[in-house]
Amino acid sequence: MDAEDLAIQRALHVMRSRRNTLIPIHRLPPEILTRIFMLCAEHSRDVWQKTIGIQRTTIGWIAITYVCRRWRQLALGFAGLWTMVTFTLGERWAEEMLKRSQARPIVVK
């Protein structure tokens, strides 16, 4: 039964992936999506900077990495999203942001 369940789960995963490729936003070129991500990040950073004093320690634009596999791959690989390095989220976050910024000019907070 476990093997059958696993096969069904894999089939559902394939079907969902195929369905997602039919959604219009999936046809947008990576350059447009990354620009949208940058706009989202800029807005989120403005909001984040205003509320950091209230112990809000999340960067809302990171939620785009949870939308779908394609968005995650684009966002994680797009160095421009990772140029504002902050230590308020911890050293591990800062190190990850530095790594993902791929030696681009950064802003340190």
Side-chain angles (χ1 to χ4, degrees), residues 15-47:
M15 289 172 57
R16 288 184 188 119
S17 293
R18 287 182 184 165
R19 181 185 61 201
N20 285 345
T21 62
L22 301 174
I23 297 171
I25 198 160
H26 261 278
R27 291 187 285 245
L28 287 176
E31 298 81 12
I32 293 176
L33 273 177
T34 54
R35 180 64 187 138
I36 292 169
F37 295 167
M38 283 300 294
L39 291 171
C40 182
E42 289 168 12
H43 172 73
S44 181
R45 286 176 183 148
D46 290 343
V47 170

Side-chain angles (χ1 to χ4, degrees), residues 27-108:
R27 291 187 285 245
L28 287 176
E31 298 81 12
I32 293 176
L33 273 177
T34 54
R35 180 64 187 138
I36 292 169
F37 295 167
M38 283 300 294
L39 291 171
C40 182
E42 289 168 12
H43 172 73
S44 181
R45 286 176 183 148
D46 290 343
V47 170
W48 178 67
Q49 287 175 341
K50 290 175 186 172
T51 59
I52 195 68
I54 310 172
Q55 297 298 328
R56 181 173 177 178
T57 58
T58 59
I59 300 176
W61 65 265
I62 289 184
I64 64 175
T65 65
Y66 294 96
V67 172
C68 65
R69 184 181 310 132
R70 181 172 184 237
W71 284 29
R72 180 176 179 78
Q73 290 171 340
L74 283 172
L76 293 179
F78 183 58
L81 286 174
W82 304 96
T83 57
M84 187 176 129
V85 178
T86 179
F87 288 89
T88 58
L89 299 174
E91 188 177 323
R92 186 171 171 211
W93 265 103
E95 289 175 6
E96 189 65 27
M97 290 175 166
L98 281 170
K99 183 175 75 175
R100 292 193 183 281
S101 68
Q102 301 173 8
R104 287 198 173 190
I106 60 170
V107 175
V108 178

